[in-house]
Amino acid sequence: MQNTLAYAQAQDAQDALRTFRAEFYIPKHTDGTDVLYFTGNSLGLQPKRAMQYLQEEMQKWQTQGVEGHFTAPRAWFDYHKHLREGLAHLTGGKAHEVVAMNSLTTNLHILLATFYQPTGKRTKILIEEGAFPSDQYVAESQARSHGLNPTETIVELPTGANAIEFIEALGDTLALVMLGGVNYYTGQFFDLPAITRTAQEVGAKVGFDLAHTIGNLPLQLHDWGVDFAAWCSYKYLNASPGGVGGIFVHEKHLNPPQPRLFGWWGYEENSRFLMQSGFKPEMSADAWQMSNAPILSMSVLLASLTIFQEAGITRLREKSIQLTNYLEFVLQDVAKKIDLPIRILTPALPAQRGCQLSLEVGKGGKALHERLTAQGVISDWREPAVIRFAPVPLYNSFEDVYRLGERFL
Ligand SMILES: *Cc1c(COP(=O)(O)O)cnc(C)c1O
């Protein structure tokens, strides 16, 4: 690798996925040039085709009113089925194991109502140290709702600890593992299949918060036997701020029906409008739906999923490894040139990370972040000490990474 414009441009010229950048709107810096956008892990960019998908539904509403629930194409009544294929592609779930619904924190609560069933001494919930605050609050409030003391119930996996040994040591006190697939702060990607196997061997249920994983790394949730997962769609999935989230529930939990929170949208589809009492679940992940679906938000997600299907998550991951390795190389090179003490918190092994690198820069971190921002770099600062950069293979280029390095000098 070389930290030169010529090298970066040559990499871009060989990149079979380079045309996908044109599928997105890139925000402009004050000088009129494209910003260097490295925050697809926080809010993905707008796909150009999103407007068309949104307009189709606005038009249907305008011209057909309530009839839109049942008129083709893409009737609102079961609009979520159009999202299944794309979500199955990204999660490695089967089509009936995934559904787009609600938002992430809400979905974690809904899933824990099913999968967190403390009994006897098996009460503990394992989350990662430095878990995203909302995930901590979910665990805390779920523990309380069972009359348990959160301090005794919630166990944190220390950063850098061996998750397998840690889970084995918890043994029959462990009720639930709920880890981020990729930790939002460090960018560490956990070994999801090994964690799943071990957690289930000790008799616990296991689910993952895929906020920073879906659309970033390929997943095989079905084959790994993961019990459940949830995600949001506004990060790597580019599906608008606060866009509709989604869940995976392994088919082994579909029959017999599990304890769960009921709502009419999870009721058996064919008889839902008979409006009868006594809940009869749909025999798919759809059974966890509770409410009439947010069609406008789903339309934008559908637009984005079609792009992922065209690019293919395996090809995106191959490019992502190259791009992130290049970012690591460029950061280390510029740090040496300007004698900047940096530490990359994210694991160095590509198998243990996705796009994101988390950079710790001693005392001057925040000032550096502000200096980069003034030069048209969109990255983010996370307290207490980290600048996160996520080169996204759908729209970031090797040249973007080279230009980022230039801004440091
Ligand atoms: C982004 C993120 C969230 C946000 O949850 P919302 O309910 O969508 O606001 C939660 N958990 C993790 C790990 C995240 O990265």
mmCIF file with all atom_site columns, all heavy atoms in Angstrom, residues 103-106 132 134-135 184 209 211-212 232 234-235, ligand 1:
data_model
loop_
_atom_site.group_PDB
_atom_site.id
_atom_site.type_symbol
_atom_site.label_atom_id
_atom_site.label_alt_id
_atom_site.label_comp_id
_atom_site.label_asym_id
_atom_site.label_entity_id
_atom_site.label_seq_id
_atom_site.pdbx_PDB_ins_code
_atom_site.Cartn_x
_atom_site.Cartn_y
_atom_site.Cartn_z
_atom_site.occupancy
_atom_site.B_iso_or_equiv
_atom_site.pdbx_formal_charge
_atom_site.auth_seq_id
_atom_site.auth_comp_id
_atom_site.auth_asym_id
_atom_site.auth_atom_id
_atom_site.pdbx_PDB_model_num
ATOM   1   N N   . SER A 1 103 ? -38.630 0.396  15.924 1.00 0.00 ? 103 SER A N   1
ATOM   2   C CA  . SER A 1 103 ? -37.231 0.816  15.920 1.00 0.00 ? 103 SER A CA  1
ATOM   3   C C   . SER A 1 103 ? -36.472 -0.047 16.917 1.00 0.00 ? 103 SER A C   1
ATOM   4   O O   . SER A 1 103 ? -37.055 -0.899 17.590 1.00 0.00 ? 103 SER A O   1
ATOM   5   C CB  . SER A 1 103 ? -37.104 2.305  16.198 1.00 0.00 ? 103 SER A CB  1
ATOM   6   O OG  . SER A 1 103 ? -37.959 2.671  17.230 1.00 0.00 ? 103 SER A OG  1
ATOM   7   N N   . LEU A 1 104 ? -35.170 0.171  16.967 1.00 0.00 ? 104 LEU A N   1
ATOM   8   C CA  . LEU A 1 104 ? -34.301 -0.822 17.594 1.00 0.00 ? 104 LEU A CA  1
ATOM   9   C C   . LEU A 1 104 ? -34.561 -1.062 19.082 1.00 0.00 ? 104 LEU A C   1
ATOM   10  O O   . LEU A 1 104 ? -34.741 -2.204 19.510 1.00 0.00 ? 104 LEU A O   1
ATOM   11  C CB  . LEU A 1 104 ? -32.841 -0.410 17.348 1.00 0.00 ? 104 LEU A CB  1
ATOM   12  C CG  . LEU A 1 104 ? -31.767 -1.223 18.036 1.00 0.00 ? 104 LEU A CG  1
ATOM   13  C CD1 . LEU A 1 104 ? -31.911 -2.709 17.771 1.00 0.00 ? 104 LEU A CD1 1
ATOM   14  C CD2 . LEU A 1 104 ? -30.395 -0.745 17.565 1.00 0.00 ? 104 LEU A CD2 1
ATOM   15  N N   . THR A 1 105 ? -34.564 -0.002 19.878 1.00 0.00 ? 105 THR A N   1
ATOM   16  C CA  . THR A 1 105 ? -34.725 -0.207 21.322 1.00 0.00 ? 105 THR A CA  1
ATOM   17  C C   . THR A 1 105 ? -36.064 -0.883 21.618 1.00 0.00 ? 105 THR A C   1
ATOM   18  O O   . THR A 1 105 ? -36.152 -1.808 22.432 1.00 0.00 ? 105 THR A O   1
ATOM   19  C CB  . THR A 1 105 ? -34.602 1.139  22.056 1.00 0.00 ? 105 THR A CB  1
ATOM   20  O OG1 . THR A 1 105 ? -33.386 1.775  21.658 1.00 0.00 ? 105 THR A OG1 1
ATOM   21  C CG2 . THR A 1 105 ? -34.587 0.945  23.556 1.00 0.00 ? 105 THR A CG2 1
ATOM   22  N N   . THR A 1 106 ? -37.097 -0.417 20.926 1.00 0.00 ? 106 THR A N   1
ATOM   23  C CA  . THR A 1 106 ? -38.423 -1.025 21.069 1.00 0.00 ? 106 THR A CA  1
ATOM   24  C C   . THR A 1 106 ? -38.359 -2.519 20.757 1.00 0.00 ? 106 THR A C   1
ATOM   25  O O   . THR A 1 106 ? -38.909 -3.349 21.482 1.00 0.00 ? 106 THR A O   1
ATOM   26  C CB  . THR A 1 106 ? -39.405 -0.351 20.088 1.00 0.00 ? 106 THR A CB  1
ATOM   27  O OG1 . THR A 1 106 ? -39.293 1.050  20.248 1.00 0.00 ? 106 THR A OG1 1
ATOM   28  C CG2 . THR A 1 106 ? -40.823 -0.800 20.299 1.00 0.00 ? 106 THR A CG2 1
ATOM   29  N N   . PHE A 1 132 ? -23.857 0.174  24.154 1.00 0.00 ? 132 PHE A N   1
ATOM   30  C CA  . PHE A 1 132 ? -24.622 1.374  23.834 1.00 0.00 ? 132 PHE A CA  1
ATOM   31  C C   . PHE A 1 132 ? -25.631 1.631  24.962 1.00 0.00 ? 132 PHE A C   1
ATOM   32  O O   . PHE A 1 132 ? -26.263 0.697  25.435 1.00 0.00 ? 132 PHE A O   1
ATOM   33  C CB  . PHE A 1 132 ? -25.331 1.141  22.501 1.00 0.00 ? 132 PHE A CB  1
ATOM   34  C CG  . PHE A 1 132 ? -25.891 2.378  21.881 1.00 0.00 ? 132 PHE A CG  1
ATOM   35  C CD1 . PHE A 1 132 ? -25.097 3.175  21.062 1.00 0.00 ? 132 PHE A CD1 1
ATOM   36  C CD2 . PHE A 1 132 ? -27.204 2.759  22.099 1.00 0.00 ? 132 PHE A CD2 1
ATOM   37  C CE1 . PHE A 1 132 ? -25.609 4.317  20.480 1.00 0.00 ? 132 PHE A CE1 1
ATOM   38  C CE2 . PHE A 1 132 ? -27.724 3.914  21.518 1.00 0.00 ? 132 PHE A CE2 1
ATOM   39  C CZ  . PHE A 1 132 ? -26.916 4.691  20.709 1.00 0.00 ? 132 PHE A CZ  1
ATOM   40  N N   . SER A 1 134 ? -28.623 2.661  25.346 1.00 0.00 ? 134 SER A N   1
ATOM   41  C CA  . SER A 1 134 ? -30.000 2.173  25.255 1.00 0.00 ? 134 SER A CA  1
ATOM   42  C C   . SER A 1 134 ? -30.064 0.675  25.553 1.00 0.00 ? 134 SER A C   1
ATOM   43  O O   . SER A 1 134 ? -31.002 0.192  26.194 1.00 0.00 ? 134 SER A O   1
ATOM   44  C CB  . SER A 1 134 ? -30.575 2.473  23.870 1.00 0.00 ? 134 SER A CB  1
ATOM   45  O OG  . SER A 1 134 ? -31.965 2.618  23.929 1.00 0.00 ? 134 SER A OG  1
ATOM   46  N N   . ASP A 1 135 ? -29.040 -0.067 25.126 1.00 0.00 ? 135 ASP A N   1
ATOM   47  C CA  . ASP A 1 135 ? -29.003 -1.511 25.391 1.00 0.00 ? 135 ASP A CA  1
ATOM   48  C C   . ASP A 1 135 ? -28.861 -1.765 26.892 1.00 0.00 ? 135 ASP A C   1
ATOM   49  O O   . ASP A 1 135 ? -29.470 -2.688 27.446 1.00 0.00 ? 135 ASP A O   1
ATOM   50  C CB  . ASP A 1 135 ? -27.859 -2.171 24.625 1.00 0.00 ? 135 ASP A CB  1
ATOM   51  C CG  . ASP A 1 135 ? -27.976 -1.979 23.122 1.00 0.00 ? 135 ASP A CG  1
ATOM   52  O OD1 . ASP A 1 135 ? -28.223 -0.826 22.690 1.00 0.00 ? 135 ASP A OD1 1
ATOM   53  O OD2 . ASP A 1 135 ? -27.829 -2.951 22.377 1.00 0.00 ? 135 ASP A OD2 1
ATOM   54  N N   . TYR A 1 184 ? -20.233 -0.383 19.156 1.00 0.00 ? 184 TYR A N   1
ATOM   55  C CA  . TYR A 1 184 ? -20.327 0.933  18.498 1.00 0.00 ? 184 TYR A CA  1
ATOM   56  C C   . TYR A 1 184 ? -19.105 1.818  18.785 1.00 0.00 ? 184 TYR A C   1
ATOM   57  O O   . TYR A 1 184 ? -18.766 2.681  17.986 1.00 0.00 ? 184 TYR A O   1
ATOM   58  C CB  . TYR A 1 184 ? -21.604 1.665  18.944 1.00 0.00 ? 184 TYR A CB  1
ATOM   59  C CG  . TYR A 1 184 ? -21.476 2.397  20.264 1.00 0.00 ? 184 TYR A CG  1
ATOM   60  C CD1 . TYR A 1 184 ? -21.216 3.770  20.299 1.00 0.00 ? 184 TYR A CD1 1
ATOM   61  C CD2 . TYR A 1 184 ? -21.565 1.711  21.470 1.00 0.00 ? 184 TYR A CD2 1
ATOM   62  C CE1 . TYR A 1 184 ? -21.067 4.430  21.504 1.00 0.00 ? 184 TYR A CE1 1
ATOM   63  C CE2 . TYR A 1 184 ? -21.416 2.369  22.683 1.00 0.00 ? 184 TYR A CE2 1
ATOM   64  C CZ  . TYR A 1 184 ? -21.159 3.726  22.694 1.00 0.00 ? 184 TYR A CZ  1
ATOM   65  O OH  . TYR A 1 184 ? -20.992 4.385  23.881 1.00 0.00 ? 184 TYR A OH  1
ATOM   66  N N   . ASP A 1 209 ? -27.527 -7.356 19.028 1.00 0.00 ? 209 ASP A N   1
ATOM   67  C CA  . ASP A 1 209 ? -27.923 -6.048 18.545 1.00 0.00 ? 209 ASP A CA  1
ATOM   68  C C   . ASP A 1 209 ? -27.043 -5.759 17.327 1.00 0.00 ? 209 ASP A C   1
ATOM   69  O O   . ASP A 1 209 ? -25.831 -5.569 17.465 1.00 0.00 ? 209 ASP A O   1
ATOM   70  C CB  . ASP A 1 209 ? -27.701 -5.006 19.653 1.00 0.00 ? 209 ASP A CB  1
ATOM   71  C CG  . ASP A 1 209 ? -28.069 -3.611 19.191 1.00 0.00 ? 209 ASP A CG  1
ATOM   72  O OD1 . ASP A 1 209 ? -28.028 -3.358 17.964 1.00 0.00 ? 209 ASP A OD1 1
ATOM   73  O OD2 . ASP A 1 209 ? -28.377 -2.771 20.042 1.00 0.00 ? 209 ASP A OD2 1
ATOM   74  N N   . ALA A 1 211 ? -27.077 -3.223 15.189 1.00 0.00 ? 211 ALA A N   1
ATOM   75  C CA  . ALA A 1 211 ? -27.088 -1.829 14.716 1.00 0.00 ? 211 ALA A CA  1
ATOM   76  C C   . ALA A 1 211 ? -25.864 -1.506 13.860 1.00 0.00 ? 211 ALA A C   1
ATOM   77  O O   . ALA A 1 211 ? -25.976 -0.879 12.810 1.00 0.00 ? 211 ALA A O   1
ATOM   78  C CB  . ALA A 1 211 ? -27.149 -0.880 15.907 1.00 0.00 ? 211 ALA A CB  1
ATOM   79  N N   . HIS A 1 212 ? -24.691 -1.958 14.316 1.00 0.00 ? 212 HIS A N   1
ATOM   80  C CA  . HIS A 1 212 ? -23.453 -1.645 13.606 1.00 0.00 ? 212 HIS A CA  1
ATOM   81  C C   . HIS A 1 212 ? -22.946 -2.802 12.769 1.00 0.00 ? 212 HIS A C   1
ATOM   82  O O   . HIS A 1 212 ? -21.803 -2.782 12.294 1.00 0.00 ? 212 HIS A O   1
ATOM   83  C CB  . HIS A 1 212 ? -22.371 -1.209 14.607 1.00 0.00 ? 212 HIS A CB  1
ATOM   84  C CG  . HIS A 1 212 ? -22.579 0.197  15.062 1.00 0.00 ? 212 HIS A CG  1
ATOM   85  N ND1 . HIS A 1 212 ? -22.004 1.276  14.433 1.00 0.00 ? 212 HIS A ND1 1
ATOM   86  C CD2 . HIS A 1 212 ? -23.371 0.711  16.029 1.00 0.00 ? 212 HIS A CD2 1
ATOM   87  C CE1 . HIS A 1 212 ? -22.393 2.383  15.020 1.00 0.00 ? 212 HIS A CE1 1
ATOM   88  N NE2 . HIS A 1 212 ? -23.226 2.078  15.994 1.00 0.00 ? 212 HIS A NE2 1
ATOM   89  N N   . CYS A 1 232 ? -31.295 -1.415 13.584 1.00 0.00 ? 232 CYS A N   1
ATOM   90  C CA  . CYS A 1 232 ? -31.928 -0.209 13.059 1.00 0.00 ? 232 CYS A CA  1
ATOM   91  C C   . CYS A 1 232 ? -31.504 -0.094 11.601 1.00 0.00 ? 232 CYS A C   1
ATOM   92  O O   . CYS A 1 232 ? -30.596 -0.790 11.156 1.00 0.00 ? 232 CYS A O   1
ATOM   93  C CB  . CYS A 1 232 ? -31.501 1.017  13.865 1.00 0.00 ? 232 CYS A CB  1
ATOM   94  S SG  . CYS A 1 232 ? -29.715 1.190  14.037 1.00 0.00 ? 232 CYS A SG  1
ATOM   95  N N   . TYR A 1 234 ? -30.979 3.040  9.915  1.00 0.00 ? 234 TYR A N   1
ATOM   96  C CA  . TYR A 1 234 ? -30.491 4.356  9.468  1.00 0.00 ? 234 TYR A CA  1
ATOM   97  C C   . TYR A 1 234 ? -28.975 4.427  9.425  1.00 0.00 ? 234 TYR A C   1
ATOM   98  O O   . TYR A 1 234 ? -28.416 5.402  8.963  1.00 0.00 ? 234 TYR A O   1
ATOM   99  C CB  . TYR A 1 234 ? -31.049 5.471  10.363 1.00 0.00 ? 234 TYR A CB  1
ATOM   100 C CG  . TYR A 1 234 ? -30.981 5.190  11.854 1.00 0.00 ? 234 TYR A CG  1
ATOM   101 C CD1 . TYR A 1 234 ? -29.832 5.469  12.565 1.00 0.00 ? 234 TYR A CD1 1
ATOM   102 C CD2 . TYR A 1 234 ? -32.061 4.632  12.513 1.00 0.00 ? 234 TYR A CD2 1
ATOM   103 C CE1 . TYR A 1 234 ? -29.775 5.194  13.926 1.00 0.00 ? 234 TYR A CE1 1
ATOM   104 C CE2 . TYR A 1 234 ? -32.013 4.360  13.869 1.00 0.00 ? 234 TYR A CE2 1
ATOM   105 C CZ  . TYR A 1 234 ? -30.859 4.636  14.579 1.00 0.00 ? 234 TYR A CZ  1
ATOM   106 O OH  . TYR A 1 234 ? -30.788 4.361  15.912 1.00 0.00 ? 234 TYR A OH  1
ATOM   107 N N   . LYS A 1 235 ? -28.273 3.391  9.919  1.00 0.00 ? 235 LYS A N   1
ATOM   108 C CA  . LYS A 1 235 ? -26.807 3.398  9.880  1.00 0.00 ? 235 LYS A CA  1
ATOM   109 C C   . LYS A 1 235 ? -26.359 2.830  8.531  1.00 0.00 ? 235 LYS A C   1
ATOM   110 O O   . LYS A 1 235 ? -26.603 3.461  7.508  1.00 0.00 ? 235 LYS A O   1
ATOM   111 C CB  . LYS A 1 235 ? -26.267 2.648  11.095 1.00 0.00 ? 235 LYS A CB  1
ATOM   112 C CG  . LYS A 1 235 ? -26.614 3.411  12.395 1.00 0.00 ? 235 LYS A CG  1
ATOM   113 C CD  . LYS A 1 235 ? -26.292 2.675  13.676 1.00 0.00 ? 235 LYS A CD  1
ATOM   114 C CE  . LYS A 1 235 ? -26.706 3.541  14.876 1.00 0.00 ? 235 LYS A CE  1
ATOM   115 N NZ  . LYS A 1 235 ? -26.694 2.816  16.148 1.00 0.00 ? 235 LYS A NZ  1
HETATM 116 C C1  . LIG B 2 .   ? -27.612 3.130  17.152 1.00 0.00 ? 1   LIG B C1  1
HETATM 117 C C2  . LIG B 2 .   ? -27.805 2.159  18.239 1.00 0.00 ? 1   LIG B C2  1
HETATM 118 C C3  . LIG B 2 .   ? -28.993 2.129  18.990 1.00 0.00 ? 1   LIG B C3  1
HETATM 119 C C4  . LIG B 2 .   ? -30.084 3.155  18.756 1.00 0.00 ? 1   LIG B C4  1
HETATM 120 O O1  . LIG B 2 .   ? -31.334 2.664  19.085 1.00 0.00 ? 1   LIG B O1  1
HETATM 121 P P1  . LIG B 2 .   ? -32.657 3.358  18.530 1.00 0.00 ? 1   LIG B P1  1
HETATM 122 O O2  . LIG B 2 .   ? -33.730 2.656  19.253 1.00 0.00 ? 1   LIG B O2  1
HETATM 123 O O3  . LIG B 2 .   ? -32.694 3.138  17.042 1.00 0.00 ? 1   LIG B O3  1
HETATM 124 O O4  . LIG B 2 .   ? -32.588 4.821  18.825 1.00 0.00 ? 1   LIG B O4  1
HETATM 125 C C5  . LIG B 2 .   ? -29.123 1.151  19.967 1.00 0.00 ? 1   LIG B C5  1
HETATM 126 N N1  . LIG B 2 .   ? -28.140 0.247  20.206 1.00 0.00 ? 1   LIG B N1  1
HETATM 127 C C6  . LIG B 2 .   ? -26.987 0.268  19.499 1.00 0.00 ? 1   LIG B C6  1
HETATM 128 C C7  . LIG B 2 .   ? -25.920 -0.737 19.785 1.00 0.00 ? 1   LIG B C7  1
HETATM 129 C C8  . LIG B 2 .   ? -26.779 1.235  18.518 1.00 0.00 ? 1   LIG B C8  1
HETATM 130 O O5  . LIG B 2 .   ? -25.618 1.268  17.853 1.00 0.00 ? 1   LIG B O5  1
#
